[in-house]
Amino acid sequence: MKLEVLAEETFSTVERGALDSEITGAAGLDIAEAGDVTFLANPKYTPQIKNTRASAIFLNEKEIIEREDIFILRAKDPYLAYTRALRLFYPKPEIVKSIHQTAVVDRSANVAETVEIGANVVVGKNCAIGENVKIFPNATIYDNAKIGANTVIHSGVSVRENCEIGANCILHNNVVVGSDGFGYAKTEEKRWLKIPQVGRVVVEDDVEIGAGTCIDCASVGETRIKSGAKIDNLVQIGHSCTIEEDALICAQTGLAGSSVIGKRVILAGQVGIAGHLRVGDDAVITAKSATSHSVENGRILSGIPAFDNRNWLRSIAAFRRLGEMAGAIRDLQKKFAKIEKDEKSEKDDLV
Amino acid sequence: MKLEVLAEETFSTVERGALDSEITGAAGLDIAEAGDVTFLANPKYTPQIKNTRASAIFLNEKEIIEREDIFILRAKDPYLAYTRALRLFYPKPEIVKSIHQTAVVDRSANVAETVEIGANVVVGKNCAIGENVKIFPNATIYDNAKIGANTVIHSGVSVRENCEIGANCILHNNVVVGSDGFGYAKTEEKRWLKIPQVGRVVVEDDVEIGAGTCIDCASVGETRIKSGAKIDNLVQIGHSCTIEEDALICAQTGLAGSSVIGKRVILAGQVGIAGHLRVGDDAVITAKSATSHSVENGRILSGIPAFDNRNWLRSIAAFRRLGEMAGAIRDLQKKFAKIEKDEKSEKDDLV
Amino acid sequence: MKLEVLAEETFSTVERGALDSEITGAAGLDIAEAGDVTFLANPKYTPQIKNTRASAIFLNEKEIIEREDIFILRAKDPYLAYTRALRLFYPKPEIVKSIHQTAVVDRSANVAETVEIGANVVVGKNCAIGENVKIFPNATIYDNAKIGANTVIHSGVSVRENCEIGANCILHNNVVVGSDGFGYAKTEEKRWLKIPQVGRVVVEDDVEIGAGTCIDCASVGETRIKSGAKIDNLVQIGHSCTIEEDALICAQTGLAGSSVIGKRVILAGQVGIAGHLRVGDDAVITAKSATSHSVENGRILSGIPAFDNRNWLRSIAAFRRLGEMAGAIRDLQKKFAKIEKDEKSEKDDLV
């Protein structure tokens, strides 16, 4: 791809370099090769510029570098421009229109003509599989499920009965959509009586779900993952939750039932969200934290249980010296006891 | 279903409503429709009564509501009565007696006549599959495994060699029963030598296991999940653990090896249990907590490491102000230093 | 196996017992039967010696026991000797050379003659499957993947495109190798734009990976699990991480992207490792802890965020009394206020 075209497609401008130079790939500073375009987004990595083998680099509008043998592309957001470059060099592979002879597709299923369905895939009764859907081998689509156009479903995925997956989604390996919610009532004999889980899960468009993630259906009603949400690996989404548009949920985070995660919320890794609460739009919960209360829009919270991130930073700094603090308090108490004793003896002297 | 029958089947009594009114479903206050029965178990949701479209409601014996256009069913435990109603409206689907032609069932397996085995299921040598078992597509039952009557096994499940699943169990998608325990001895060269894991897992009757949960076999001997235990999604049960009757283990909780979880214990979400300990009957470990010591019967513990929940609540309240506390101590220390200095100078003056 | 041979093979010496006695198995103190060899490695279990039914026991060089009816084998490390005994009694099962007729192996795949490939396994284009590889039913090997000699792959595993698994590895059920890394750039409209994940995962020799564990591929470049590393169940390894030789990663631990875990590092259960950092060789991070900073070689860290384990032990001991500490500080402050007031009034008196 010519440098000029690359600039155009990534909304950047060529500051240095022949417009018709060939750029053949994109990679990070440390592993880029001759012909690649790379990027600098974090000043922490500036030293790597000295040694990179890349031929071109995306820089923000102010960055100045010493190397004169690298083409420079100026972009408002170098990371975004680099992402666009990667997407140009590595477009999504084309569908190979086919249904493997070992796939078991129920006759009642409504399957578009343009799908690619791999070996040993099972598609249940009355399913609807949209245009350009790709299903990798050994995935299972239960009865009455719907898969929207252009969606990719990897091996080992289960989409359970009545669930609906939107268009342009990616479900990585072993994702489970629509397993039973975890709900029991306690009987008079203190045993657990299963609450039927007959609701469903709706995953809207442009959602990506990481490997091994499990999304439970509602008991009655639905669990909903809204458009543009991104969910990492091994995440647990409880029954009747709603994940709003463009929320980002990192690996191993878990949500109990009936909670709502607002738009563009970021839940970092291994976060826990209790049931029946709302995390407001644009809030961030940092890694390993947990909240059992609702969170206002735009807040950044940390800790178990989570509170304001800046206060938390102060608390954890003090926590490292908590043993000393306890000692200091004991020390002060002793000194006080001495003062009180002295005072008392002074008074006694006066008496 | 007639209101009278519903009351009878849910051990409740009709306080208001024609006995032959038709109730057609059950749902929560917020999503119930006309014809549905709903319930109120938590006063937090009382305001929703004003707007519910439900036709009937389970209430406890004291609750008074303003709405006069809703039938009232009195129950000792409205949540339990509602659960029973849901179970009436949504009974477990009947088995469609069949073995799919693409299923691979070893000739030596002992398979009951009434099973439903889906496409691409694999059943190994000498397995025993009981009456009315349903196995969804793409599940794998290794050699010498046993599956008890009425058990449901979902797609992607693996039941490993020699393991035993009881009657009336549900194994959700991608459950793994009997993977190797995580055990190594360190060699003289500081490398890890695998300890053979040749034991098995026994899951007793009426156990439900959530999607993606992994239960390791014992090295020698067995890991055992006792009757009535309920396990949520993405839980890790280490080798040689015993989960006693009716224990409840929430999502993403992990148990190291050889621990015992007592009867009716509740381990909330993302809890960690170290190895070789016992959590006593009826104990509760709250979400995100971890214990490396045994826990007495009936205790409620929180924190990492976990201690008495009430003390923990006090500690975490103070933790939020720990930065201030550290400042207060420094402040007190300075004041004391000043007092001591003043005292010293007073004494010096006296001298 | 004769006692003499057992001693020889486990590098131990017979202290008591006829050299030609038959030992028929190995098991822990509590479950061993007549004929078994057992071991004592931890003095905590010494009381169990009184009741064990084992016929022989591995003891370290100093241990003295009262029982005179048990053969004694002296070993430098009884646990290691016991492990070696178990490995003698339970050798890895032999491969049954075969490719099941329902397996779908692409014609372009290069499959060794000695493999055992189970029912419904799918092997993609241009794959290479080495000597004595065993693949259990319903596993999926994507295009261009390589599986090294003697490796065992369990049901439900997915090895994604271009990934490479070394020799003598074990991948337990539902392991995912090579799922997409979790990477997005934020667009001008605050939506997430997927960063292509076109790198791969390389798993070197002698690696064991637990059930349900997910290892993401790099965006560009590779994620690498080096020789001898052992990974437990439900672990998350982010894109571009490197796990060095003989590292041990316990269940439900999660690593964000681009971090390096040093040689022989131990990450205990449910640990969290942030991105772009290095955990030095031989370091230990204790259970439930998390670090967002690099860790020096050999350190033992605990807490969220993690710091020196000994300091942490002091801090958590104090944390249990944090409510009291807060009260003690308030108390001291009041007493001080009183002193200050008294001093002030004394001074006022003087004026």
Side-chain angles (χ1 to χ4, degrees), chain C residues 30-42:
Chain C
D30 52 341
I31 59 173
E33 296 291 344
D36 286 345
V37 64
T38 188
F39 73 105
L40 180 70
N42 184 336

Side-chain angles (χ1 to χ4, degrees), chain B residues 1 10 62 111 122 144 216 231 235-236 241 276 323 330 334:
Chain B
M1 181 175 300
T10 59
K62 292 174 186 169
V111 179
V122 178
N144 303 309
D216 283 351
I231 304 176
V235 169
Q236 150 71 3
C241 283
H276 298 275
R330 278 192 300 273
K334 272 184 214 157

Side-chain angles (χ1 to χ4, degrees), chain A residues 68-351:
Chain A
E68 297 193 347
D69 56 342
I70 297 184
F71 302 152
I72 293 176
L73 293 160
R74 291 287 174 186
K76 206 168 165 186
D77 178 347
Y79 191 55
L80 179 55
Y82 168 74
T83 298
R84 288 188 167 126
L86 264 181
R87 292 172 65 94
L88 294 170
F89 289 114
Y90 301 102
K92 193 178 156 188
E94 293 276 306
I95 291 284
V96 180
K97 199 181 121 180
S98 58
I99 297 179
H100 195 276
Q101 58 183 11
T102 61
V104 177
V105 179
D106 193 88
R107 297 173 62 170
S108 62
N110 180 8
V111 179
E113 285 214 358
T114 51
V115 299
E116 178 174 351
I117 295 184
N120 296 329
V121 167
V122 178
V123 176
K125 289 174 189 156
N126 303 313
C127 287
I129 312 290
E131 299 283 338
N132 298 311
V133 164
K134 177 161 187 171
I135 307 181
F136 280 84
N138 287 320
T140 309
I141 314 297
Y142 281 52
D143 294 347
N144 303 309
K146 283 186 195 172
I147 313 292
N150 306 310
T151 282
V152 176
I153 291 185
H154 280 279
S155 299
V157 166
S158 294
V159 177
R160 293 271 294 256
E161 57 278 12
N162 309 314
C163 292
E164 200 173 322
I165 311 293
N168 304 309
C169 292
I170 305 174
L171 273 58
H172 287 283
N173 306 79
N174 297 339
V175 161
V176 178
V177 173
S179 39
D180 281 12
F182 193 63
Y184 306 89
K186 203 171 228 177
T187 67
E188 295 81 358
E189 296 80 27
K190 293 195 175 175
R191 305 212 70 181
W192 300 109
L193 186 67
K194 180 175 174 66
I195 300 170
Q197 303 290 321
V198 294
R200 62 177 194 149
V201 178
V202 178
V203 174
E204 300 186 353
D205 301 340
D206 300 307
V207 171
E208 183 162 3
I209 306 178
T213 284
C214 300
I215 303 176
D216 283 352
C217 70
S219 169
V220 180
E222 63 187 37
T223 303
R224 184 170 282 263
I225 315 295
K226 292 196 180 171
S227 176
K230 310 296 180 191
I231 303 176
D232 200 354
N233 297 347
L234 294 169
V235 169
Q236 148 72 4
I237 311 271
H239 49 174
S240 299
C241 284
T242 300
I243 311 299
E244 298 197 340
E245 286 84 354
D246 304 308
L248 195 80
I249 302 183
C250 296
Q252 294 178 321
T253 284
L255 282 69
S258 302
S259 286
V260 177
I261 305 301
K263 293 177 188 171
R264 295 172 301 279
V265 162
I266 295 176
L267 303 181
Q270 299 182 331
V271 161
I273 304 289
H276 298 275
L277 60 81
R278 177 179 173 86
V279 179
D281 295 347
D282 300 296
V284 175
I285 315 278
T286 66
K288 274 260 181 223
S289 301
T291 184
S292 55
H293 289 91
S294 287
V295 176
E296 289 163 32
N297 290 2
R299 297 290 302 281
I300 303 177
L301 300 193
S302 302
I304 306 171
F307 56 101
D308 181 73
N309 170 261
R310 271 177 301 183
N311 290 342
W312 177 78
L313 288 171
R314 252 172 266 146
S315 291
I316 58 160
F319 182 71
R320 288 164 184 250
R321 294 173 288 106
L322 198 57
E324 289 167 48
M325 279 171 66
I329 291 173
R330 279 192 301 272
D331 197 44
L332 285 164
Q333 286 173 323
K334 271 184 214 158
K335 287 181 179 173
F336 247 120
K338 190 169 170 295
I339 288 180
E340 288 173 334
K341 201 180 146 197
D342 290 352
E343 274 181 8
K344 189 165 178 296
S345 64
E346 272 177 45
K347 281 188 195 161
D348 290 350
D349 288 350
L350 292 176
V351 175

Side-chain angles (χ1 to χ4, degrees), chain B residues 47-294:
Chain B
Q48 292 189 11
I49 289 182
K50 221 166 73 181
N51 299 312
T52 188
R53 293 181 297 273
S55 298
I57 186 165
F58 290 108
L59 296 176
N60 68 29
E61 281 142 15
K62 292 174 186 169
E63 192 74 37
I64 292 163
I65 61 169
E66 293 184 8
R67 288 273 297 267
E68 297 195 345
D69 56 341
I70 296 183
F71 303 153
I72 293 175
L73 293 159
R74 292 287 175 187
K76 205 168 167 185
D77 177 347
Y79 191 56
L80 179 56
Y82 168 75
T83 298
R84 288 189 167 125
L86 265 181
R87 293 171 64 94
L88 293 169
F89 289 113
Y90 302 102
K92 192 179 157 188
E94 292 276 307
I95 292 283
V96 180
K97 197 181 122 180
S98 59
I99 297 179
H100 196 276
Q101 58 183 8
T102 61
V104 177
V105 179
D106 193 88
R107 298 174 62 170
S108 61
N110 180 7
V111 179
E113 285 214 357
T114 51
V115 300
E116 178 175 352
I117 295 184
N120 297 328
V121 167
V122 178
V123 176
K125 290 175 188 154
N126 303 313
C127 287
I129 313 289
E131 299 284 337
N132 298 311
V133 165
K134 176 161 187 172
I135 308 182
F136 281 85
N138 287 320
T140 309
I141 314 298
Y142 282 52
D143 294 348
N144 303 309
K146 284 186 194 171
I147 313 292
N150 306 310
T151 283
V152 176
I153 292 186
H154 281 278
S155 299
V157 166
S158 294
V159 178
R160 294 269 295 254
E161 58 278 12
N162 309 314
C163 292
E164 201 173 322
I165 311 293
N168 303 309
C169 293
I170 306 174
L171 273 58
H172 287 283
N173 305 79
N174 297 339
V175 161
V176 177
V177 174
S179 40
D180 281 12
F182 192 63
Y184 306 90
K186 204 171 226 175
T187 66
E188 294 82 358
E189 297 80 28
K190 293 195 176 173
R191 304 214 69 180
W192 300 110
L193 186 67
K194 181 175 173 66
I195 300 169
Q197 303 289 322
V198 295
R200 61 176 194 151
V201 178
V202 178
V203 174
E204 300 185 353
D205 300 341
D206 300 306
V207 171
E208 183 162 2
I209 306 178
T213 284
C214 300
I215 303 176
D216 283 351
C217 70
S219 169
V220 180
E222 63 186 36
T223 303
R224 184 171 283 262
I225 315 295
K226 291 196 180 170
S227 176
K230 310 296 180 189
I231 304 176
D232 200 354
N233 297 347
L234 295 169
V235 169
Q236 150 71 3
I237 311 270
H239 48 175
S240 299
C241 283
T242 300
I243 311 298
E244 297 196 340
E245 286 84 355
D246 305 307
L248 194 80
I249 302 183
C250 296
Q252 295 178 321
T253 283
L255 282 70
S258 301
S259 285
V260 177
I261 305 301
K263 292 176 189 172
R264 297 171 300 279
V265 163
I266 295 177
L267 304 180
Q270 300 183 331
V271 161
I273 304 289
H276 298 275
L277 59 81
R278 177 179 173 86
V279 179
D281 295 348
D282 300 295
V284 176
I285 315 278
T286 66
K288 275 261 181 223
S289 301
T291 184
S292 54
H293 290 91
S294 286

Side-chain angles (χ1 to χ4, degrees), chain C residues 146-349:
Chain C
K146 284 186 194 171
I147 313 293
N150 306 311
T151 283
V152 176
I153 291 186
H154 281 279
S155 298
V157 166
S158 294
V159 178
R160 292 272 293 257
E161 57 279 12
N162 309 314
C163 292
E164 201 173 322
I165 311 293
N168 304 310
C169 292
I170 305 174
L171 273 58
H172 287 283
N173 305 80
N174 297 340
V175 161
V176 178
V177 174
S179 40
D180 282 12
F182 193 63
Y184 305 90
K186 204 172 226 174
T187 66
E188 295 81 358
E189 296 81 28
K190 293 193 175 175
R191 305 213 69 178
W192 300 109
L193 186 67
K194 181 176 173 65
I195 300 170
Q197 303 290 322
V198 295
R200 62 176 195 152
V201 178
V202 178
V203 174
E204 301 185 352
D205 300 342
D206 300 306
V207 170
E208 183 162 3
I209 306 178
T213 284
C214 300
I215 304 176
D216 283 351
C217 70
S219 168
V220 180
E222 63 185 39
T223 302
R224 184 171 282 262
I225 315 295
K226 292 196 180 170
S227 177
K230 310 296 179 189
I231 304 176
D232 199 353
N233 297 347
L234 295 168
V235 169
Q236 149 71 5
I237 311 270
H239 48 175
S240 299
C241 283
T242 300
I243 311 299
E244 298 196 340
E245 285 84 354
D246 303 308
L248 195 80
I249 302 183
C250 296
Q252 295 178 320
T253 283
L255 282 70
S258 302
S259 285
V260 177
I261 304 301
K263 294 177 188 171
R264 296 170 301 279
V265 162
I266 296 176
L267 304 181
Q270 300 183 330
V271 161
I273 304 290
H276 298 274
L277 60 80
R278 178 178 174 87
V279 179
D281 295 348
D282 300 295
V284 175
I285 315 279
T286 65
K288 274 263 182 221
S289 302
T291 184
S292 55
H293 289 92
S294 286
V295 176
E296 288 162 33
N297 290 1
R299 296 290 301 279
I300 302 177
L301 300 193
S302 302
I304 305 172
F307 56 100
D308 181 74
N309 170 260
R310 272 178 299 183
N311 290 341
W312 177 78
L313 288 171
R314 251 171 265 146
S315 291
I316 59 160
F319 182 72
R320 289 164 183 249
R321 294 173 286 106
L322 197 56
E324 289 167 48
M325 277 170 67
I329 291 173
R330 278 193 301 273
D331 197 44
L332 286 164
Q333 285 173 322
K334 271 184 216 158
K335 288 182 179 170
F336 248 119
K338 189 166 169 297
I339 289 179
E340 285 172 335
K341 203 181 144 197
D342 291 351
E343 274 181 8
K344 192 168 176 296
S345 64
E346 273 175 45
K347 279 186 195 163
D348 290 348
D349 289 350

